[in-house]
Amino acid sequence: MENMLHSTPSHTSVPSSFVFPPEHLKPATSTAVSLPVIDMSGSCTEVINHGISEQVMRDMEAIGEEFFRLPAADKAGFYSESEDPNKATTRLFSNTTYETGGEKYWRDCLRLVCSLPVRDSVKDWPDKPHRLREVTENFMLLTRDLAMKLLRLLCQGMGLRPEYFEGDICGDHVIVDINHYPPCPCPSTTLGLPPHCDRNVITLLLPSMVPGLEVAYKGDWIKVKPIPQAFVVNFGSQLEVLTNGMLKSIEHRVTTNSAMARTSVVTYIAPTGDCLIGPAKEFLSEDNPPFYRTLTYREFKRIYNVVKLGKSLNLTTNLKDVQKMI
């Protein structure tokens, strides 16, 4: 637990292990921009009018913030820096997950995993704050339903059968990460999360109203302006592979600030480990051969984990290049 950033009431300096090389910290363009908005009430990337109430969203954000304010003794039993490479498990950890070349990053995270259909898996979750299980389970199921609805709309637009994403490709469990970024004494020297693309199929992000999310666009970092009551939707690497590059996974990072803590909540929809994923035949032709190898999701994650992300702007995270490294 001594590695948890939020356990220290205030930080006066950034430890050297968190400091990134200056060339990895290219600043974003000065103007914050809104992502393209999808209005779910009218058609099928920030999504509004999605059917999840504002109360559900605010309760989820509040319960996450409340968890990180708990005394250390109430959280210590869930702390683990090591991750089972073959199984997602509920745990509390700090500044791990992505390879950066050695630097740590300024984030603590509570990961909550729930098997489907929901049975007894929530019993492994923290029981404090007292509404955490109730609020998170409700949020998790609602956001998974929304993600599946978005995927069905994508199928409609891409000419895939509506049930294409049913079954192993969207997994037998759901993961929710509650990310907490404490105030940082020197934000210009470190990152909350390094440049990366999500490895899964699709991600729904409930962003904090405290800015911090940035996306890569035409060689620059663009600050994302949060929209109240909206989810940010990230297409994951598996969608890029499946569509043979027609849908690109979105490279993004998180910056820190010196004044305010930032808490965001992420729902990941991911395949089972043994699910075999490659370009779908609907996206292949004589003039458009497969650009990606067909791999199990477990093997894909193993390869992706060893890629040095560094200062990437769609360079070292380019999936075509990554798969050539096998």
Side-chain angles (χ1 to χ4, degrees), residues 19-149:
V19 176
F20 283 72
E23 65 269 20
H24 290 188
L25 294 167
K26 180 179 180 180
T29 55
S30 57
T31 303
V33 300
S34 298
L35 296 176
V37 174
I38 300 174
D39 188 339
M40 292 291 288
S41 68
S43 62
C44 159
T45 137
E46 284 181 271
V47 176
I48 62 173
N49 292 324
H50 37 66
I52 299 177
S53 72
E54 180 181 8
Q55 188 64 52
V56 167
M57 300 170 76
R58 298 289 75 84
D59 282 353
M60 187 65 238
E61 184 176 33
I63 209 74
E65 292 173 349
E66 189 176 348
F67 174 83
F68 283 101
R69 290 195 299 267
L70 289 173
D74 291 334
K75 298 174 287 193
F78 299 93
Y79 177 76
S80 173
E81 287 296 340
S82 60
E83 181 179 20
D84 186 338
N86 297 313
K87 183 180 179 182
T89 55
T90 291
R91 65 190 185 103
L92 174 66
F93 58 96
S94 185
N95 58 61
T96 57
T97 303
Y98 300 101
E99 286 280 349
T100 60
E103 302 86 6
K104 297 180 179 180
Y105 43 92
W106 204 263
R107 175 192 73 149
D108 294 335
C109 179
L110 174 64
R111 173 161 295 169
L112 299 168
V113 181
C114 181
S115 61
L116 296 173
V118 176
R119 296 187 184 93
D120 298 326
S121 54
V122 299
K123 73 178 185 303
D124 298 324
W125 294 0
D127 56 7
K128 295 179 182 179
H130 78 278
R131 292 189 65 222
L132 182 141
R133 295 182 180 182
E134 171 194 347
V135 168
T136 307
E137 181 181 346
N138 183 46
F139 178 86
M140 177 180 282
L141 294 176
L142 288 172
T143 50
R144 186 181 193 277
D145 285 347
L146 174 57
M148 297 306 293
K149 182 177 181 180

Side-chain angles (χ1 to χ4, degrees), residues 300-316:
F300 179 91
K301 289 194 296 179
R302 183 192 67 79
I303 296 164
Y304 190 93
N305 267 344
V306 301
V307 177
K308 303 296 185 189
L309 299 175
K311 61 178 179 179
S312 173
L313 281 169
N314 296 319
L315 296 176
T316 56

Side-chain angles (χ1 to χ4, degrees), residues 86 168 172-173 271-276 295-299 301:
N86 297 313
D168 286 352
D172 54 6
H173 64 273
T272 60
D274 294 329
C275 184
L276 201 61
L295 300 167
T296 66
Y297 184 53
R298 181 177 293 108
E299 182 70 2
K301 289 194 296 179

